């Protein structure tokens, strides 16, 4: 039990919890140990009561989620729902989060560790071999998979996941939280398409603007066609 407790205490996200929540987790796991002879750290959240799990996820994930510009516009209920959906994710060195050209099915919020993010650049005759790959790095507090936000907001009924334009690979051991595409879409549908929130109104305004633009184009095309037909008819009458 002491080894298991030390393992939990050394888990990086656990250290970021308030002292009160840390003590609650330790107390609960001492109880579970007596009942089940141990708990897997990776299933830490699943084995906790819902209210304790929600408080922990909110403390650990809320600030991470708010780093996504679109999420800053969400109300408290929506952010709580997103916090409840996130799951612990672990990557060892050299493992891939996503490869260029693959579909993106989750967002990843880095708690501890470092990832490579790179895409193959278009080559030309003057491009040297050293510049054919664009590389960036993701570190603590950063995220990837943000393409899913636009996917969920633009067309929640779509099942066609966006394609990744880059490869993301763990450079070190990575501890993170993952938000799955289906969870993001379900939260968006439940909290924004079903209520007249500011975000939903903005979404509807964008859709309405597109409809108006399409209608105007059709009207403009029809008007030009009628004008051309009228000029042709007038020309025939003159002849």
């Amino acid at each position: 039990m002491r080894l298991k407790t030390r393992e939990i205490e050394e888990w990086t996200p656990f250290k970021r919890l308030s002292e009160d929540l840390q003590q609650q987790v330790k107390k609960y796991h001492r109880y579970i140990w007596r009942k089940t002879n141990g708990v897997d750290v990776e299933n830490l959240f699943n084995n906790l009561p819902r209210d304790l799990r929600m408080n922990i996820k909110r403390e650990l994930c809320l600030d991470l989620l708010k780093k996504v510009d679109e999420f800053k516009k969400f109300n408290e209920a929506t952010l709580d729902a997103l916090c409840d959906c996130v799951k612990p994710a672990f990557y060892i060195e050299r493992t891939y989060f996503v490869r260029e050209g693959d579909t993106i099915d989750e967002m990843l919020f880095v708690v501890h560790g470092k990832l490579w993010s790179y895409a193959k650049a278009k080559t030309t005759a003057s491009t040297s071999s050293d510049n054919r790959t664009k590389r960036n790095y993701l570190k603590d507090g950063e995220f990837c998979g943000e393409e899913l936000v636009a996917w969920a907001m633009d067309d929640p009924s779509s099942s066609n996941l966006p394609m990744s334009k880059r490869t993301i690979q763990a450079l070190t051991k990575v501890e993170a939280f993952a938000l799955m595409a289906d969870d993001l879409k379900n939260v968006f549908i439940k909290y924004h398409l079903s209520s007249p929130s500011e975000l939903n109104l903005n979404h509807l305004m964008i859709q309405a603007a597109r409809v108006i633009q399409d209608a105007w184009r059709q009207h403009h095309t029809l008007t030009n066609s009628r004008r051309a037909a009228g000029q042709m008819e007038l020309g025939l009458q003159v002849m």
Side-chain angles (χ1 to χ4, degrees), residues 16 61 69 106 137 154-155 183 198-199 225:
R16 303 188 180 188
C61 305
D69 289 338
E106 62 183 315
Y137 296 95
D154 289 345
D155 188 4
D183 290 331
E198 180 181 351
L199 182 61
S225 298

Side-chain angles (χ1 to χ4, degrees), residues 8-223:
I8 294 172
E9 291 175 343
E10 291 176 355
W11 185 49
T12 304
F14 181 82
K15 298 176 183 178
R16 303 188 180 188
L17 293 175
S18 62
E19 182 65 22
D20 179 59
L21 282 178
Q22 289 188 24
Q23 292 302 320
Q24 289 186 58
V25 171
K26 293 177 184 178
K27 182 178 179 180
Y28 184 79
H29 276 281
R30 284 195 292 267
Y31 169 78
I32 291 294
W33 181 272
R34 291 194 295 269
K35 296 293 184 181
T36 65
N37 197 34
V39 176
D40 186 352
V41 173
E42 292 191 22
N43 291 319
L44 172 66
F45 295 121
N46 295 331
N47 292 321
L48 292 173
R50 177 176 174 79
D51 59 340
L52 179 56
R53 184 176 72 239
M54 283 292 297
N55 288 336
I56 291 173
K57 285 189 175 184
R58 185 174 179 83
E59 282 199 18
L60 291 177
C61 305
L62 187 59
D63 289 341
L64 292 173
L65 291 174
K66 285 184 176 180
K67 291 188 177 182
V68 182
D69 289 338
E70 289 80 359
F71 291 173
K72 294 177 183 177
K73 304 172 186 176
F74 288 180
N75 57 35
E76 186 175 346
T78 308
L79 289 172
D80 282 345
L82 289 176
C83 285
D84 194 35
C85 289
V86 296
K87 300 175 177 63
F90 302 88
Y91 291 86
I92 61 174
E93 300 95 328
R94 301 183 182 276
T95 56
Y96 290 89
F97 168 67
V98 68
R99 295 176 187 267
E100 186 174 351
D102 290 348
T103 56
I104 303 171
D105 60 2
E106 62 183 315
M107 295 183 69
L108 194 71
F109 297 85
V110 182
V111 175
H112 182 69
K114 196 172 184 179
L115 300 108
W116 269 344
S117 174
Y118 58 91
K120 295 179 180 177
K122 294 181 179 179
T123 59
T124 62
S126 59
T127 304
S128 67
S129 59
D130 293 336
N131 295 325
R132 291 179 183 174
T133 301
K134 299 179 180 178
R135 291 183 180 269
N136 292 300
Y137 296 95
L138 295 169
K139 55 185 184 299
D140 299 8
E142 296 183 333
F143 62 89
C144 56
E146 60 273 16
E147 295 89 342
L148 288 178
V149 180
W151 166 79
M153 292 175 62
D154 289 345
D155 188 4
S157 63
S158 174
S159 59
N160 297 321
L161 292 168
M163 305 290 287
S164 179
K165 296 180 180 179
R166 53 184 174 164
T167 295
I168 300 177
Q169 183 182 17
L171 181 62
T172 65
K173 291 182 180 179
V174 174
E175 298 173 6
F177 287 103
L179 177 61
M180 303 305 296
D182 287 343
D183 290 331
L184 174 60
K185 182 169 67 173
N186 290 338
V187 168
F188 181 76
I189 292 173
K190 179 178 179 180
Y191 288 89
H192 291 282
L193 293 187
S194 60
S195 61
S197 64
E198 180 181 351
L199 182 61
N200 187 39
L201 289 175
N202 290 339
H203 176 73
L204 292 176
M205 289 174 65
I206 292 172
Q207 296 298 325
R210 291 175 180 171
V211 171
I212 293 172
Q213 289 175 352
D214 291 341
W216 171 250
R217 291 192 190 98
Q218 293 177 4
H219 171 74
H220 186 66
T221 301
L222 182 60
T223 300

